[in-house]
């Protein structure tokens, strides 16, 4: 196996950075999980709010590194041409990495903006915009220089353009909290339930075309269906965040209906994946990449679709909003929809970049099952904690801290399965960084 265009190798440092930051995210996840049981752990050096801030910001940063690396790998093959500027790609890689590290270290010294998920100080936000604009410019020029433009590349570019545009709302900080939250969700919701889904769908289509050998025309029809459903449901579906923040009551009706239908694009991805795998015309040797790809569709449907649907109606959300049920949905949805598609792209691309056959397949498949099953149990543990919390705190009106004392068993289970997840990640990273001596047989990817 090998890459087809020399510039595809620029994806390599992006995947390395993504994996290292992923490991950092899990370390801070374990710290948070421990602090639920031992609240004074690492206090005051790393209090819970700082550890949670780093855990979530690392998630966003490593996923974007993974998206960029995936884009640089697939674009040359899609447009049949080299990346416009490898130097520009490496320049924004280092700028993004330095900015990300400065932000994370800054959080440890309490240098942050204070807004949940958008804690980056102004100068870091400005640097992120510059980096993303450099990346998008490189994408556009690569597509212009290329010999053709495919639906996969166009949808991928649309997703990144949306990512850049909606991040601009992070700079808007009105004094009125209702107005602030209204636009805050433009970033938080329309990223993960809008434009990121386009990126995911494009990467999923690329992988299925490469791994199964299916007709591109069939894959593109499915891609258009998924994108249409994403736009139809995801944009107005933002309304399920507007129930209780002081916005007009009509958002409860609009948010409820469109949020119900937000499960449709994920259901379409499952149908798409199984149909394509069932009709595959080649038996690709990279079984781990196939598993991660198929797993992405299923776990994203569970996390984003089913777990999201469980508490999206206003009658239920009134009790569950901001409880551990929200956390269970967030963990499973982010892992299924975005972490797994980056891991799938990494598993597929890295052997090709190294010009080798996929190695340690059994180990990577073990890592897959360890990580997926652990995340399922983490989500179930948090769901159990959330049910207790809803009953005691929201229905019985028990004080918050007293409620927490009744949720210890679920926090213990969450920490245990967090550790098993970390073991799976270590196995995956071992395969990633130490692939061994694999034979270079030049099998077409």
């Amino acid at each position: 196996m090998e890459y087809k265009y020399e510039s595809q190798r620029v994806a390599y440092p992006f995947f390395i950075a993504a994996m290292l930051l992923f490991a950092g995210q899990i370390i801070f996840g374990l710290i948070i999980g421990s602090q639920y049981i031992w609240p004074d752990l690492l206090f005051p050096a790393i209090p819970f709010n700082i550890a949670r801030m780093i855990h979530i910001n690392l998630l966003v940063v490593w996923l974007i590194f993974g998206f960029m690396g995936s884009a640089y790998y697939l674009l040359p093959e899609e447009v049949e041409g080299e990346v416009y500027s490898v130097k520009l790609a490496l320049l924004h890689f280092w700028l993004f990495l330095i900015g990300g590290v400065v932000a994370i270290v800054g959080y440890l010294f309490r240098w942050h903006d204070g807004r949940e998920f958008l804690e980056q100080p102004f100068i870091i936000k400005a640097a992120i915009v510059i980096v993303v604009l450099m990346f998008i410019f490189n994408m556009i020029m690569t597509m212009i220089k290329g010999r053709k433009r495919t639906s996969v590349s166009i949808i991928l570019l649309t997703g990144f353009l949306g990512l850049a545009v909606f991040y601009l709302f992070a700079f808007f900080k009105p004094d009125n909290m209702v107005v602030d939250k209204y636009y805050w969700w433009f970033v938080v919701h329309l990223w993960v339930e809008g434009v990121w889904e386009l990126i995911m769908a494009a990467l999923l289509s690329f992988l299925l075309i490469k791994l199964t050998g299916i007709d591109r025309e069939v894959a593109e029809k499915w891609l258009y269906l998924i994108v249409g459903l994403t736009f139809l449901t995801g944009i107005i579906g933002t309304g399920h965040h507007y129930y209780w923040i002081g916005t007009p009551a009509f958002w409860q009706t609009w948010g409820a209906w469109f949020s119900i239908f937000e499960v449709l694009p994920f259901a379409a991805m499952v149908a798409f994946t199984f149909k394509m795998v069932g009709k595959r015309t080649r038996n690709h040797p990279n079984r781990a990449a196939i598993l991660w790809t198929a797993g992405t569709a299923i776990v994203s449907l569970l996390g984003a679709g089913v777990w999201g649907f469980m508490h999206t109606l206003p009658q239920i959300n009134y009790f569950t909003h901001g409880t551990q049920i929200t956390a269970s949905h967030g963990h499973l949805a982010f892992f299924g929809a975005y972490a797994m598609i980056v891991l799938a792209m990494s598993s597929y691309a890295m052997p090709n970049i190294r010009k080798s056959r996929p190695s340690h397949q059994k180990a990577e498949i073990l890592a897959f099952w360890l990580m997926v099953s652990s995340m399922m149990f983490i989500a179930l543990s948090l769901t159990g904690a959330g049910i207790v919390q809803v009953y005691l705190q929201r229905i019985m009106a028990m004080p918050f801290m007293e409620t927490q004392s009744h949720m210890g068993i679920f926090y213990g289970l969450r920490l245990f399965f967090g550790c098993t997840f970390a073991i799976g990640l270590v196995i995956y990273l071992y395969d990633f960084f130490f692939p061994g001596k694999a034979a270079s047989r030049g099998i077409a990817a």
Side-chain angles (χ1 to χ4, degrees), residues 189-202:
H189 175 98
L190 291 178
W191 263 26
V192 300
E193 296 179 58
V195 294
W196 281 29
E197 283 185 38
L198 304 188
I199 297 171
M200 175 199 173

Side-chain angles (χ1 to χ4, degrees), residues 232-302:
L232 179 67
T233 62
I235 295 174
I236 304 299
T238 311
H240 68 239
H241 299 293
Y242 293 161
Y243 293 160
W244 322 114
I245 64 171
T247 52
F250 72 81
W251 276 115
Q252 293 187 19
T253 304
W254 284 65
W257 278 107
F258 281 88
S259 295
I260 289 172
F261 296 130
E262 277 191 87
V263 71
L264 293 179
F266 292 101
M269 286 185 204
V270 172
F272 171 42
T273 302
F274 277 86
K275 192 174 183 64
M276 298 304 103
V277 172
K279 289 188 174 183
R280 66 183 180 276
T281 57
R282 70 168 60 157
N283 288 317
H284 201 283
N286 196 334
R287 291 177 292 124
I290 296 173
L291 196 57
W292 281 111
T293 304
T296 296
I298 296 170
V299 181
S300 65
L301 173 65
L302 290 173

Side-chain angles (χ1 to χ4, degrees), residues 31-33 35-36 39 41 43 46-53:
I31 291 174
I32 299 169
Q35 288 177 332
Y36 268 105
L41 181 70
F43 184 84
I46 309 178
F48 177 86
N49 65 314
I50 297 297
R52 180 176 180 270
M53 188 185 300

Side-chain angles (χ1 to χ4, degrees), residues 75 77-81 142-143 145-150 153 216:
L75 262 186
E77 292 189 17
E78 286 294 304
V79 305
E80 295 185 354
T142 301
M143 292 173 67
K145 272 186 57 185
R147 282 191 287 273
K148 67 176 185 180
R149 278 166 286 282
T150 65
S153 60
R216 175 179 289 274

